Amino acid sequence: MMSHSGDFFWGLIWLFFILSSLQPLLQQRMLKATRQRKIARFERKRGSRVIVMVHRQETMRLLGFPVVRYIDITDSEEILRAIRMTDSDMPVDLVLHTPGGLVLAALQIGRALREHHGKVTVFVPHYAMSGGTLICLAANEIVMSPHAVLGPIDPQLDKSPAASLLRVVEQKPIAEIDDQTLVLADIGRKAIGQVRSAARDLMEGRLAGEKADELAQKLCEGTWTHDYPIFAAEASAMGLNVSTNMPTDILDFLSLYPQPTRTQGGVEYLPIQRQRQTAGRA
């Protein structure tokens, strides 16, 4: 009798540990299903393809060190795939929440959005800094919450602003500058030119040529610190097509991306071909 009681007790203990280990997975799947339903609902309401790219700060499970997710090649691959699966005349709505990331990946996304024939709207509920701002420049419209921010797109090299490296080289005698700094300054000069040219191309047709040149220079040549917050009013004054009419659906949707305890993909959309509905079509 005692043996059976002991077996039952240990069985309960094992069941408890099994259920505890499965709980995070079940919660994650429930959140994903809820997000997918909300994406589908928003698509029906807007008649658009909805793509979401959310990068939360994540905590490593054991050591607790913060690890910041950012725009990478996996993200650009997924977004380019979503755009390819969308009718060329269908509007695209991109929900963007990111600290930035790789210039290459951000530029791939920006160019794909820029070349899409349908209207492109980027929703920024909280922030889209650096590479996120580069993507926003390709949009027909940027919708920001009243306190949401964009940021400068000035290149960063070895944790230093490229523009600041150039100023060091310009203000100090060459003999007093080490080779590594000179190399970084040379790379920085090229990086600034490349990003400025890319930003100008993304804004082509969105802003007049002279205004696009001026804004591209302002954003990428070290006018501000890299984390300078550009609020909606300032972005609008710069010439960008900015609205603060943020749908509550988007704000509610962001709450479905809690701080995760392990790495997960930052891009999500319904993986089906989307066709724009025409008048009189069922």
Side-chain angles (χ1 to χ4, degrees), residues 62-82:
L62 295 177
L63 301 180
F65 295 136
V67 179
V68 179
R69 273 191 51 77
Y70 57 87
I71 304 169
D72 58 20
I73 295 299
T74 300
D75 293 328
S76 63
E77 287 177 352
E78 287 294 318
I79 290 180
L80 265 58
R81 179 171 178 267

Side-chain angles (χ1 to χ4, degrees), residues 12 35 60 68 112 147 160 174 186 200 222 227 253 259 262 270 272:
L12 287 178
R35 291 196 299 262
M60 293 177 64
V68 179
H147 301 292
S160 298
I174 294 294
D186 180 59
R200 187 172 58 242
D227 61 352
F253 186 78
Q259 297 283 11
R262 60 180 177 178
L270 298 179
I272 57 175

Side-chain angles (χ1 to χ4, degrees), residues 10 13 22 51 60 82 93 105 125 136 139 143 146 153 164 197 207 214 230 238 240 266-267 271 278:
W10 285 111
I13 293 295
L22 289 176
I51 307 171
M60 293 177 64
D93 293 329
C136 288
V143 181
I153 57 175
S164 297
S197 177
L207 286 176
E214 181 183 336
I230 301 174
M238 291 175 180
L240 297 175
V267 178
T278 57

Side-chain angles (χ1 to χ4, degrees), residues 31-280:
L31 275 175
K32 181 177 177 64
T34 303
R35 291 196 299 262
Q36 293 276 300
R37 288 194 297 270
K38 286 188 175 291
I39 288 174
R41 191 179 307 148
F42 197 62
E43 285 188 337
R44 290 193 298 269
K45 182 186 294 186
R46 298 266 303 177
S48 66
R49 157 74 76 183
V50 174
I51 307 171
V52 181
M53 182 163 69
V54 173
H55 295 137
R56 288 290 199 187
Q57 177 171 293
E58 300 178 345
T59 303
M60 293 177 64
R61 181 171 298 179
L62 295 177
L63 301 180
F65 295 136
V67 179
V68 179
R69 273 191 51 77
Y70 57 87
I71 304 169
D72 58 20
I73 295 299
T74 300
D75 293 328
S76 63
E77 287 177 352
E78 287 294 318
I79 290 180
L80 265 58
R81 179 171 178 267
I83 294 172
R84 286 197 303 270
M85 294 172 66
T86 305
D87 187 83
S88 62
D89 293 325
M90 189 174 199
V92 169
D93 293 329
L94 173 63
V95 181
L96 196 55
H97 176 87
T98 181
L102 297 178
V103 173
L104 171 60
L107 186 55
Q108 285 180 308
I109 296 168
R111 288 183 68 87
L113 293 173
R114 180 68 184 80
E115 294 169 7
H116 185 71
H117 293 164
K119 180 182 179 182
V120 174
T121 305
V122 177
F123 293 88
V124 183
H126 187 59
Y127 76 150
M129 305 296 284
S130 191
T133 299
L134 189 63
I135 293 171
C136 288
L137 297 181
N140 297 100
E141 182 181 18
I142 306 169
V143 181
M144 301 172 64
S145 297
H147 301 292
V149 295
L150 306 179
I153 57 175
D154 54 312
Q156 307 293 297
L157 301 174
D158 196 25
K159 299 182 180 180
S160 298
S164 297
L165 289 167
L166 289 183
R167 291 191 180 96
V168 168
V169 172
E170 291 167 358
Q171 294 174 7
K172 292 184 68 174
I174 294 294
E176 297 179 12
I177 305 173
D178 63 272
D179 290 347
Q180 179 66 18
T181 301
L182 289 173
V183 169
L184 288 175
D186 180 59
I187 296 172
R189 183 179 293 105
K190 296 171 184 174
I192 290 173
Q194 290 166 189
V195 173
R196 183 177 60 236
S197 177
R200 187 172 58 242
D201 290 345
L202 292 177
M203 291 185 284
E204 184 179 356
R206 311 285 197 242
L207 286 176
E210 187 175 320
K211 282 192 173 182
D213 286 338
E214 181 183 336
L215 181 53
Q217 180 176 347
K218 194 174 211 180
L219 288 173
C220 74
E221 293 194 354
T223 305
W224 309 282
T225 59
H226 193 59
D227 61 352
Y228 175 77
I230 301 174
F231 290 91
E234 187 172 5
S236 181
M238 291 175 180
L240 297 175
N241 183 21
V242 176
S243 165
T244 54
N245 189 24
M246 176 66 69
T248 55
D249 292 352
I250 298 296
L251 297 175
D252 293 341
F253 186 78
L254 198 64
S255 67
L256 296 175
Y257 285 87
Q259 297 283 11
T261 56
R262 60 180 177 178
T263 302
Q264 65 182 30
V267 178
E268 195 163 354
Y269 55 90
L270 298 179
I272 57 175
Q273 188 72 30
R274 301 292 298 169
Q275 299 291 330
R276 188 175 187 183
Q277 297 292 324
T278 57

